[in-house]
Structure formats: C-alpha cells, structure tokens
Amino acid sequence: IQRAALIRYDANGDSLWLREYGDSTEEWIGRQAKQTPDGGYILTGETWNGTDLDGFLIKTDAQGNEEWTQLYGGVTQDYLASVDVLPTGGYVAGGFRKIGGTNQMWVIRVSDFGAVVWQQVFGSPFDDANALITTLDDGSIAVASGWGYANGGASLRSYLARLDSNSGSLIWSDQYGSITPDALLFAVKQCSDGTLIAAGNTNHGGYYKGSLLRAGLNGDSIWMYYFQYYDTLMSDGRGSFRDVLQTLDGGFIACGLAHSSFSGNDPPGYTQDVWVIKVDSLGCLEPGCNLVSIHTQVTNFRNALSLWPNPVSETLTVAWDLPEGLRCGNSCQLSVVSAAGQLVRTETIRLATGQHQLDVRYLSPGLYHVHLVQDGTWVTGGKFLRAP
C-alpha cells in the first residue's frame, strides 16, 4: 500500500509531526502541498483503487488533521500534480486527464470546501505533459507543461499558458525551444518585475539537458538556455531542473537531478545526485554569456579556467584543463565582455594547446568576463581585472 503524507519540521529540521492520508486498501500518492490562509494545508496527488485513477485534494488544519477529502476525474486515468491557493478564495490544481487515449492538460478550480467551480481540459492531439500551475499576483493562473507532437512523450515542446481564474478561459499560450523528446517545463514562478521564470528539461540527440526560460507576462520569450551536466567522468549525463526561484540579486537558483549516462556506460558507483545551479538575471553562469551566441551552458567546469596575472596590464594567460571530448579545432571561441555588458573581443583558439595569450593593453581599466565557447555551447568562464 501507499499513503499520502505530510511531515512538518522545525527550524532545525527535527520532525514535529507526521500525518498519513487515504484508504489503507488503496494507493495514495501526494505530489504537492501548500499552506492555506488559516494555517492549515492543501495537499494534492492521485489515488488508485485497482480499477480507477483519480486526482485528490485533502484539506487539513494547522496540525495536519484532515478536514475534508475530495476526488476528481472520470472513469479513466486522472492525475493532479500541483496545487495553489487563490487570493480570492478556494484552490486551483493541475495535472492531466486521459481523454480518448491521449493525455490532456487539466486544470481545476474548487471552492474552500472542494466543490468544483470550473475545470478545463486542453492540449494537443497527442500526449501532453502535466499542467503544473502557480497563481500570479493578479490572481490569474500560470501553467507550465509540454505540448505533444507524438504520443508517449516522444516529441514535445516546452509550453506555458495563462488562465483566467474566474472562468478558466485561456488568456494566452505559447511554445518555446525545439521539438524534442522530453521537452517540457516542470515549474513556473513570477519574478519581482512581473515576468515569468520556468524550469524543465529537454533531450537533444540523447543529451538530456536542464532548461530555464524567462518570459514576459504576455508569454513573449525573453531568453531560454539549456544546461548540460558534463564532468570528468560523465560526458553524456542526463539532467533535469524541477524547480526555480528568483534570488535577492535578481538572478535565479534552479534545482533538480543529474543521473546516469545516456549511453549506459556509467562509471562504477555513479549515482543520481542533486543538481543545483545559480545564474544571473540574464540566465548566465558567467555574466555576459548572452552576448556570445550560445544555446547551452556546461555547469561543471567553472574551476577549469585559470587567468594570470590578475589584475593584468599587458598580457593575460588564459589556461584550461578540460576533458578530451571538449577539445576542438578552429570552432572554439574565446570572448571578452566588459562589466558594462559590451562584447569587446572574440578570438579563435585551439583547446588542444591548453592555453592562450590575450593582449589586454587596448582595454580600459575595469572588470571583464571571459567566455570559452565551443559550437554554441558555453564551456567555462572567469573574470579578470584590467589594471590602470
């Protein structure tokens, strides 16, 4: 058996209480929970009784004691995977329903006591991903998902939508990036300036990459980057971002998982790991990446680049220690971006040489960022100070 559960911890991580929910003869899986205005909690997930799969909502008090439970769905497979509290009262949840043999995005609004106010089922003619929702400052609902182009997740495109919370009607929807296997978004949040930030993953030729997308409140793309987990042991590691938050400096921190190689050639003892990255407000691991024509950033070689002397007044030695698989011929570029956000120089280099001499005498005194790029993939970077 499986039962849905809530666990509350104190500030030191010690458990305060554990509550379990659901019929002990059935399978109940909790997917997300939020605190409610009265200090209680709203929990969503799915339950399976052996013949029917339904989404559920469970409302508890502040101690996790069940106040009400409601099931939602029809006679097919119905999942709820995300939930949020509406500022005008009631709750909204998102997941998918199987309609006519395909998975369709599903968003449902309910009252404070779980009665259905409205529900929307929408999507492509093929299998879509879960509708993962959040409430925006104006009370509307943002949806993160994947728009299907084939069944079984074989072809998807990252997808965002915005719904009116009063009626459930679609305000706008848009798709982003390439159509690939597993191209979808798992989370969307609103930024301090009203724009949206979303996190997910994609699969480019067997390389499973995390993705970050920033979009306007009208859905227009501001930037989108992919991130590749690549280290000295694993050149085709699979990675995914499952959540993202804006940080106080205006940048973003994303977390997810990195696990097993696409080829199956895992080093001994290699296991799934937590994967965390921090980027600036423009999605860059090193500021200025938006000026050097990239689509992907490698996250694991930040310490592979050495710059000396630093500060420097005449010639900067740029050295790198990278795996053989990242070494290339004339397609590698070394770019320099000023702290003011200007691309000041780009040179073609050969990674096999291990280092490059950069003449900085023409640069004005100040801070500069170095970017090493291979065929549209940002490999590593660093910063140096041009001395007066």
Side-chain angles (χ1 to χ4, degrees):
I1 63 169
Q2 299 181 70
R3 304 194 73 187
L6 282 178
I7 309 173
R8 185 165 182 177
Y9 303 89
D10 65 16
N12 297 317
D14 295 325
S15 176
L16 296 174
W17 46 256
L18 163 66
R19 302 286 185 265
E20 296 182 0
Y21 311 97
D23 189 324
S24 62
T25 65
E26 301 173 350
E27 295 181 5
W28 289 67
I29 299 177
R31 298 294 182 180
Q32 191 176 51
K34 295 284 178 68
Q35 192 168 34
T36 53
D38 61 2
Y41 302 92
I42 187 76
L43 170 67
T44 196
E46 76 269 5
T47 176
W48 169 253
N49 62 11
T51 58
D52 189 24
L53 189 68
D54 288 318
F56 70 76
L57 287 174
I58 299 173
K59 173 66 175 67
T60 78
D61 63 17
Q63 298 303 312
N65 299 307
E66 184 178 335
E67 294 182 343
W68 54 259
T69 296
Q70 294 282 0
L71 302 185
Y72 307 94
V75 295
T76 58
Q77 298 180 21
D78 307 293
Y79 290 84
L80 290 175
S82 60
V83 66
D84 208 354
V85 180
L86 289 168
T88 55
Y91 310 102
V92 61
F96 72 74
R97 297 191 67 181
K98 187 171 284 296
I99 305 293
T102 61
N103 300 330
Q104 302 283 291
M105 287 176 270
W106 180 33
V107 179
I108 181 171
R109 177 176 177 171
V110 303
S111 70
D112 288 332
F113 300 99
V116 175
V117 177
W118 55 255
Q119 56 181 320
Q120 289 286 2
V121 179
F122 56 100
S124 74
F126 304 100
D127 283 335
D128 301 313
N130 268 314
L132 302 168
I133 55 91
T134 194
T135 303
L136 304 180
D137 291 344
D138 65 358
S140 61
I141 301 161
V143 178
S145 186
W147 186 271
Y149 283 85
N151 288 331
S155 292
L156 291 163
R157 196 174 180 200
S158 297
Y159 174 86
L160 288 179
R162 186 173 163 215
L163 304 181
D164 184 291
S165 61
N166 293 317
S167 64
S169 60
L170 195 67
I171 299 173
W172 57 258
S173 66
D174 213 338
Q175 300 173 43
Y176 310 85
S178 303
I179 301 172
T180 71
D182 301 311
L184 68 155
L185 298 170
F186 288 104
V188 57
K189 303 288 175 60
Q190 190 163 25
C191 305
S192 58
D193 64 355
T195 60
L196 304 176
I197 183 71
N201 57 233
T202 189
N203 175 356
H204 288 132
Y207 289 90
Y208 286 77
K209 302 176 182 180
S211 62
L212 289 179
L213 164 70
R214 192 168 188 179
L217 195 56
N218 60 357
D220 291 342
S221 176
I222 299 173
W223 53 256
M224 185 175 191
Y225 289 116
Y226 302 109
F227 297 84
Q228 185 176 351
Y229 187 89
Y230 190 148
D231 59 25
T232 56
L233 296 176
M234 184 80 71
S235 62
D236 61 346
R238 297 186 290 175
S240 172
F241 296 137
R242 299 306 175 96
D243 205 359
V244 61
L245 290 174
Q246 189 172 33
T247 50
L248 294 177
D249 61 1
F252 303 96
I253 188 164
C255 69
L257 64 154
H259 63 97
S260 67
S261 67
F262 176 73
S263 64
N265 187 27
D266 294 340
Y270 206 87
T271 62
Q272 177 173 299
D273 290 318
V274 175
W275 190 23
V276 183
I277 69 163
K278 170 70 171 67
V279 298
D280 67 11
S281 62
L282 297 174
C284 297
L285 291 169
E286 183 72 32
C289 80
N290 56 302
L291 300 175
V292 295
S293 299
I294 62 170
H295 50 73
T296 298
Q297 299 177 64
V298 174
T299 64
N300 299 70
F301 295 124
R302 299 304 307 281
N303 298 322
L305 193 72
S306 301
L307 306 170
W308 76 84
N310 194 2
V312 60
S313 57
E314 294 186 358
T315 303
L316 179 72
T317 298
V318 182
W320 50 87
D321 182 16
L322 295 167
E324 290 289 339
L326 278 173
R327 296 185 178 178
C328 58
N330 294 328
S331 61
C332 290
Q333 306 294 322
L334 184 69
S335 297
V336 179
V337 175
S338 70
Q342 294 179 317
L343 178 63
V344 297
R345 186 152 187 181
T346 295
E347 297 185 4
T348 299
I349 63 170
R350 292 181 178 273
L351 282 186
T353 63
Q355 63 178 243
H356 181 76
Q357 303 301 311
L358 188 66
D359 184 358
V360 301
R361 289 175 295 178
Y362 66 95
L363 297 178
S364 301
L367 179 67
Y368 293 86
H369 301 277
V370 174
H371 302 273
L372 191 61
V373 176
Q374 174 184 337
D375 297 329
T377 295
W378 186 93
V379 178
T380 185
K383 55 181 65 69
F384 69 89
L385 187 66
R386 167 65 164 90

